[in-house]
Amino acid sequence: MVKQGPRHAGQALFHEVFGTAPHVGASAPGRVNLLGEHTDYNGGPVLPIALDRRTVVHVRPAHGFRFASTLEPGVVERRLAEEPRGHWTDYLVGVLRELAAVGVELPGADLTVASNVPAGAGLSSSAALTVSAATALASLAGKRLAPETLVEVAWRAETLYAGVRCGRMDQTISVFGRAGKALEFDSATGSRRMVPFTGTLRMIDSGLRHALVAGEYEHRRIECEEALRRCRKLMPDLNALADIPVAALPKIARHLPGTLARRVRHVVTETARVHEAVSVLGRGRKTRFGELLYAGHESLRRDFESSCDEADTIVALARKAGATGARLTGGGWGGVVIILAPERSADTVVARVQNDFAEEYGRIPQAWEGKASGGVKVER
Ligand code: GLA
């Protein structure tokens, strides 16, 4: 984490490593998903905000590609033709390859990364990196990508090269985020709608980190694909799991193996929760919104089984301490729990959760604040 702010840290690093000022830079935010987890690859809606935590990429022209980051010493040289290495620079190689695919070709670039988006915490540090890098590199090539193309370049870099079969939520909010707004994004149609979301959100880090590439995330995707195949036997016209009506769940429970039926129930009820959340947020009904967050967490815990003990504990403690709502956000199996509480009591709620958690786990979990902020921008 960078104390002085990632923009200055990035500029300082650029000077230190490459001995000159960068030509241009761009920054893009991490995100918190308020609701709609594991729906973006099942044809459902999501409701993220862009965070006031950003990744800043600075660049200058070069022959060949050299990358440096505030998070690790040294300079990494990469060639675009080479295989992924399971290193963070894979995201950059992926971006450069996808930029070339849309006609933005560069002979080389010196590039630095600075960020205050915690990595692996479910706050989408990877989309903050791919979106800011794609923007800075396109700008270096004298091009400006349409926002939809930028989302696609960033998503393809992550999916095709870095090897995570993610949905498009993270890249979309990192591009389209706005201050004071959440974004309702429909993964089936690509439609976007801004929903008011003001005030400060609290986050408590479970301290557990999960690498999405290898593990459970891909496993859940495969389960959802299998569930869709089986549901189509009951409903031949079905496009995606999110299209199943809530009323059809009992029938699905009768015909599908228990685990798959629970995965479907999560996607279907989560889709309904997002729709309701959008409507209650529009009317300022914060109490109901908070209940939907608790229900969303319960669904992740019980039906999708993408939570972890630490996150379940934080959610339970938050409820006990008087939070309006709480749930694990992001890919799952660790990362950050978001907490909603009235502003006057939020500090007390967070402190109580931290204390009670420390009694159980012997360590004080980190806490952050965040608010809905703007999306990607070029930094001069
Ligand atoms: C990760 C993925 C997203 C989404 C979430 C779960 O963040 O990158 O596309 O699937 O997990 O909601």
Side-chain angles (χ1 to χ4, degrees):
M1 212 92 57
V2 182
K3 282 227 173 62
Q4 72 197 105
R7 197 155 71 89
H8 292 117
Q11 275 163 345
L13 178 70
F14 204 97
H15 269 281
E16 186 189 315
V17 176
F18 298 121
T20 63
H23 249 64
V24 67
S27 73
R31 60 102 187 92
V32 153
N33 188 19
L34 298 175
L35 203 58
E37 222 64 85
H38 297 277
T39 45
D40 71 344
Y41 53 88
N42 285 304
V46 292
L47 189 61
I49 60 169
L51 272 184
D52 45 349
R53 286 175 170 271
R54 304 178 75 87
T55 294
V56 186
V57 166
H58 287 107
V59 288
R60 73 168 180 194
H63 293 286
F65 295 96
R66 295 192 297 173
F67 307 138
S69 155
T70 50
L71 293 180
E72 129 188 329
V75 176
V76 181
E77 290 195 30
R78 300 285 309 253
R79 282 174 303 104
L80 302 196
E82 73 187 67
E83 293 294 306
R85 289 183 192 172
H87 188 251
W88 66 268
T89 53
D90 286 353
Y91 291 102
L92 300 175
V93 176
V95 162
L96 284 158
R97 289 162 69 117
E98 293 306 326
L99 281 174
V102 296
V104 181
E105 289 192 64
L106 287 157
D110 287 336
L111 180 155
T112 58
V113 179
S115 180
N116 60 3
V117 184
L123 300 178
S124 187
S125 55
S126 56
L129 176 59
T130 52
V131 169
S132 55
T135 306
L137 289 161
S139 186
L140 188 63
K143 300 265 169 67
R144 220 188 135 162
L145 300 179
E148 288 79 7
T149 312
L150 179 55
V151 169
E152 218 48 28
V153 163
W155 177 78
R156 289 173 65 91
E158 180 144 0
T159 309
L160 300 182
Y161 192 77
V164 185
R165 275 206 308 149
C166 57
R168 285 176 174 77
M169 161 168 70
D170 304 346
Q171 299 77 13
T172 303
I173 185 65
S174 193
V175 169
F176 289 102
R178 287 237 312 263
K181 307 279 183 200
L183 171 73
E184 184 195 17
F185 169 62
D186 182 341
S187 69
T189 61
S191 77
R192 298 182 306 269
R193 179 155 57 125
M194 290 296 172
V195 183
F197 189 80
T198 49
T200 306
L201 190 73
R202 305 302 176 116
M203 295 169 259
I204 296 189
D205 187 1
S206 71
L208 254 67
R209 292 290 176 265
H210 183 77
L212 291 183
V213 184
E216 304 287 353
Y217 185 88
E218 176 63 20
H219 187 206
R220 286 297 176 279
R221 284 207 65 150
I222 293 168
E223 286 178 334
C224 288
E225 284 158 4
E226 174 62 18
L228 180 61
R229 263 191 298 277
R230 289 176 186 242
C231 287
R232 276 187 180 140
K233 292 195 179 129
L234 307 171
M235 305 173 208
D237 296 334
L238 191 64
N239 268 323
L241 292 184
D243 294 339
I244 297 172
V246 175
L249 288 176
K251 183 174 172 192
I252 285 172
R254 284 196 301 277
H255 287 88
L256 261 64
T259 306
L260 292 187
R262 281 185 291 117
R263 306 297 187 247
V264 175
R265 185 165 65 180
H266 167 72
V267 172
V268 170
T269 58
E270 185 82 343
T271 296
R273 278 187 290 274
V274 175
H275 290 144
E276 188 181 347
V278 168
S279 126
V280 299
L281 271 182
R283 286 178 284 143
R285 290 181 52 203
K286 293 212 166 120
T287 311
R288 179 63 191 147
F289 181 64
E291 285 166 7
L292 291 167
L293 296 199
Y294 280 130
H297 185 81
E298 187 53 17
S299 182
L300 290 177
R301 188 187 69 77
R302 190 193 54 192
D303 284 348
F304 213 68
E305 294 179 277
S306 59
S307 185
C308 59
D309 289 346
E310 287 81 350
D312 297 344
T313 302
I314 293 170
V315 171
L317 292 174
R319 195 194 275 273
K320 206 174 96 195
T324 336
R327 65 178 282 276
L328 178 64
T329 189
W333 298 280
V336 159
V337 171
I338 54 173
I339 294 180
L340 281 184
E343 203 37 55
R344 65 191 138 69
S345 60
D347 284 344
T348 320
V349 168
V350 168
R352 277 184 60 187
V353 174
Q354 285 179 301
N355 265 328
D356 294 353
F357 184 95
E359 270 181 26
E360 216 169 312
Y361 287 90
R363 61 179 170 88
I364 299 173
Q366 263 197 294
W368 299 299
E369 290 179 11
K371 54 180 195 300
S373 303
V376 65
K377 62 176 189 221
V378 171
E379 306 268 0
R380 297 279 162 203

